[in-house]
Amino acid sequence: MHIALLTYSTKPRGGVVHTLALAEALAARGNDVAVWTLGRGADTAFFRPVRPEVRVRVVPFAARDGEGVGERIERSIDVMSAALDTDADVVHAQDCISANAALRRGIPVLRTVHHLDAFTTPQLVACHDRAVREPVALLSVSAAVSAEVEGLYGLRPHVIPNGVDASRFAAAAGPDAAPARDRWRSELGDYVLALGGIEPRKGSIDLLEGFARLRASHPCLRLVFGGGETLFDYRDYRAAFDARAAELGIVPTVLGTVDDDALPSLVAAARVLGFVSTKEGFGLAAMEALAAGTTVVARDLPVIREVFGDAVLYASTPEEIAFRIGSALTASGDVDRDAGRRLARAHTWDAAARAHEAFYRDVIGQTSSSGTAAHAPARTR
């Protein structure tokens, strides 16, 4: 099959990581795969090398001073739509921006809904809504998100779980990677790690509040944030986070985007991964942490229960977060790490690619037999 996968960024966000891994797995199975993305600023490539079998199309997207979030979203759609030129058998978008770009060009598009967000910016609301209602078919990476989409839109996406590069993160916990872990511990000491930046969906302030309750019993413990590259504007939330951190007398370490080669050892060296998002589609970062043998404290959400079962420690309030991190640090609340590693190994990108191939063939067959137009509503799966 000729497959075009669309994403909105070159940065290491969860949906982008998913896009690249899926593209490589599909290409390894003999498909012709191209990945289209926006290259903001001077970006001309993704955050990591992509296997040469996958063709990469980075659409230049220059920064504009003073541009608001809504304007930036609209321009992102316009720029990507104008550049998108593909006769692929399947065009598969991973986010609302790239889905809208294809729809605006009149291209029938499939869409993976990784999670549903509640936006207030009008352009984002419209982008999000159209990218659920108008694709020819929908996917999600968990049954919980699929059910949420059905409840709000009356359309039930087909579920294909994420894969995970478990061997890469397991290797970061092995003896050969000890020097890399030691470098992080030398720089950071004992630390609780959060990935994805400081933003509302990640529950960053709740994690901060929970961490503050641990200082008396763990005075040398540090709170570390990695990642956080996004098109969206979370300045108000970040200001609230910084103000609360100052009130609590906490100075978090904010690493920003972490080099892809260094990420596994950063995860493996952490005492705990704080994964207290208020919304998730699957929880790829948490699954990578389990592969590395790192204990995960996660918010108690239906999707996390579905994907992780008893492999993580659950907490929702700052008090619960503090208790669970504290118990993990003392091993009294530890989970079965071998079970976590087995769970991570069970989610392979090859299995995800095979499931996508079957879904693509089904959609192509149904579209061909029904003469589905470019703007037909998404089918319930």
Side-chain angles (χ1 to χ4, degrees), residues 54 56 76 82 85 116 197 224 229 238 262 273 276 300 356 363-364 376:
V54 176
V56 173
S76 298
D85 182 15
L116 291 176
V224 176
E229 212 32 71
R238 178 59 188 271
L273 181 77
V276 295
D300 196 349
H356 277 82
V363 172
I364 290 169

Side-chain angles (χ1 to χ4, degrees), residues 166-179:
S167 61
R168 180 170 175 250
F169 284 82
D176 291 345

Side-chain angles (χ1 to χ4, degrees), residues 184-197:
W184 283 118
R185 288 170 180 154
S186 175
E187 177 183 345
L188 301 172
D190 281 349
Y191 58 96
V192 174
L193 177 65
L195 294 173

Side-chain angles (χ1 to χ4, degrees), residues 192-195 197-198 204 207-208 223-227 241 252-256:
V192 174
L193 177 65
L195 294 173
I198 297 169
S204 308
L207 181 59
L208 176 70
L223 180 59
V224 176
F225 289 86
F241 176 94
T253 300
V254 181
L255 299 175

